[in-house]
Amino acid sequence: MSGPIYETLLEFSRTLRDDHLDEDLSRIELPNNRVLDTQVIHARGKLDGRPVVVSYHSHWIVGSTYRPHILEVFVTGNHLKTEAECRARSFLDDVLRWFGGGGLRGPDPIFTERRIDAARDADLTDLDRPEFTARLANLSGLVYCHKVQIQAGTGINAWFHALPFQRSLPQLQALVRTVADLAST
């Protein structure tokens, strides 16, 4: 079951305080009755006193399909007020904006550069802070980033293609540090 990503996450977990690593292999069923074996590895601990969970999923279900090799990074940030998701804007998102859709609008350039979804009446206080939006735009603009989720009072959860990190502890540490910097902003 183990492999290069396990070894990298093991090395990463040893750099954290109160570290813990676990691995699981389970079967998941897609809506089309296709069954997949999926490997999940969780590395947990504290980075500079802030709880961190880095998870590898060999298959991540999105609707009726799956995405292979997903790295999920969660870092606590209990001061956050906003509930939103941010991802790279696609051509369809730009077209939808012509008709009043395509995510939230606002004065900050991030609303034009990235698609941000949240409830219309959501508290968007964090998106009014230029330093926060600059770091959010930077993180969500990484070529291997699927999306970044801001969770009010909880933290930042971000999903990435895992392959660039499966054999590189320094790259994984840099990515986690980038998410942690956003969570602490």
Side-chain angles (χ1 to χ4, degrees), residues 6-18:
Y6 181 87
E7 295 301 322
T8 303
L9 284 172
L10 177 61
E11 286 181 63
F12 173 74
S13 72
R14 290 178 176 159
T15 67
L16 302 173
R17 200 177 92 235
D18 301 329

Side-chain angles (χ1 to χ4, degrees), residues 82-159:
T82 300
E83 289 278 343
E85 285 188 2
C86 178
R87 64 175 172 78
R89 187 172 287 289
S90 70
F91 174 75
L92 182 59
D93 294 325
D94 289 331
V95 170
L96 287 172
R97 285 181 73 83
W98 297 340
F99 300 101
L104 297 177
R105 294 173 188 262
D108 193 284
I110 195 169
F111 291 98
T112 307
E113 298 166 6
R114 304 278 174 258
R115 177 170 176 147
I116 299 177
D117 291 308
R120 294 285 178 212
D121 59 347
D123 182 349
L124 302 177
T125 305
D126 297 311
L127 298 175
D128 291 334
R129 297 185 287 126
E131 183 180 345
F132 183 83
T133 57
R135 286 185 178 188
L136 178 59
N138 180 50
L139 180 62
S140 67
L142 296 174
V143 69
Y144 38 81
C145 182
H146 286 293
K147 70 179 177 179
V148 178
Q149 186 178 57
I150 307 162
Q151 301 172 350
T154 305
I156 301 292
N157 208 21
W159 290 268

Side-chain angles (χ1 to χ4, degrees), residues 4-185:
I5 189 69
Y6 181 87
E7 295 301 322
T8 303
L9 284 172
L10 177 61
E11 286 181 63
F12 173 74
S13 72
R14 290 178 176 159
T15 67
L16 302 173
R17 200 177 92 235
D18 301 329
D19 64 295
H20 177 76
L21 184 76
D22 61 65
E23 182 178 28
D24 183 38
L25 184 64
S26 59
R27 299 194 133 213
I28 55 174
E29 186 175 336
L30 298 175
N32 63 3
N33 294 327
R34 185 173 168 201
V35 177
L36 295 171
D37 289 329
T38 185
Q39 176 188 25
V40 180
I41 305 167
H42 299 285
R44 299 178 184 90
K46 290 186 178 177
L47 177 68
D48 301 331
R50 184 178 299 277
V52 171
V53 179
V54 177
S55 305
Y56 166 78
H57 305 266
S58 62
H59 300 91
W60 183 262
I61 296 178
V62 180
S64 62
T65 61
Y66 71 90
R67 291 186 178 166
H69 307 293
I70 297 296
L71 189 70
E72 180 181 5
V73 178
F74 173 77
V75 180
T76 61
N78 58 8
H79 65 285
L80 297 170
K81 307 238 184 292
T82 300
E83 289 278 343
E85 285 188 2
C86 178
R87 64 175 172 78
R89 187 172 287 289
S90 70
F91 174 75
L92 182 59
D93 294 325
D94 289 331
V95 170
L96 287 172
R97 285 181 73 83
W98 297 340
F99 300 101
L104 297 177
R105 294 173 188 262
D108 193 284
I110 195 169
F111 291 98
T112 307
E113 298 166 6
R114 304 278 174 258
R115 177 170 176 147
I116 299 177
D117 291 308
R120 294 285 178 212
D121 59 347
D123 182 349
L124 302 177
T125 305
D126 297 311
L127 298 175
D128 291 334
R129 297 185 287 126
E131 183 180 345
F132 183 83
T133 57
R135 286 185 178 188
L136 178 59
N138 180 50
L139 180 62
S140 67
L142 296 174
V143 69
Y144 38 81
C145 182
H146 286 293
K147 70 179 177 179
V148 178
Q149 186 178 57
I150 307 162
Q151 301 172 350
T154 305
I156 301 292
N157 208 21
W159 290 268
F160 306 90
H161 296 287
L163 295 180
F165 308 101
Q166 73 177 1
R167 296 179 190 266
S168 177
L169 178 61
Q171 283 184 285
L172 178 61
Q173 287 175 310
L175 180 68
V176 172
R177 177 62 63 192
T178 301
V179 177
D181 289 346
L182 177 61
S184 67
T185 303

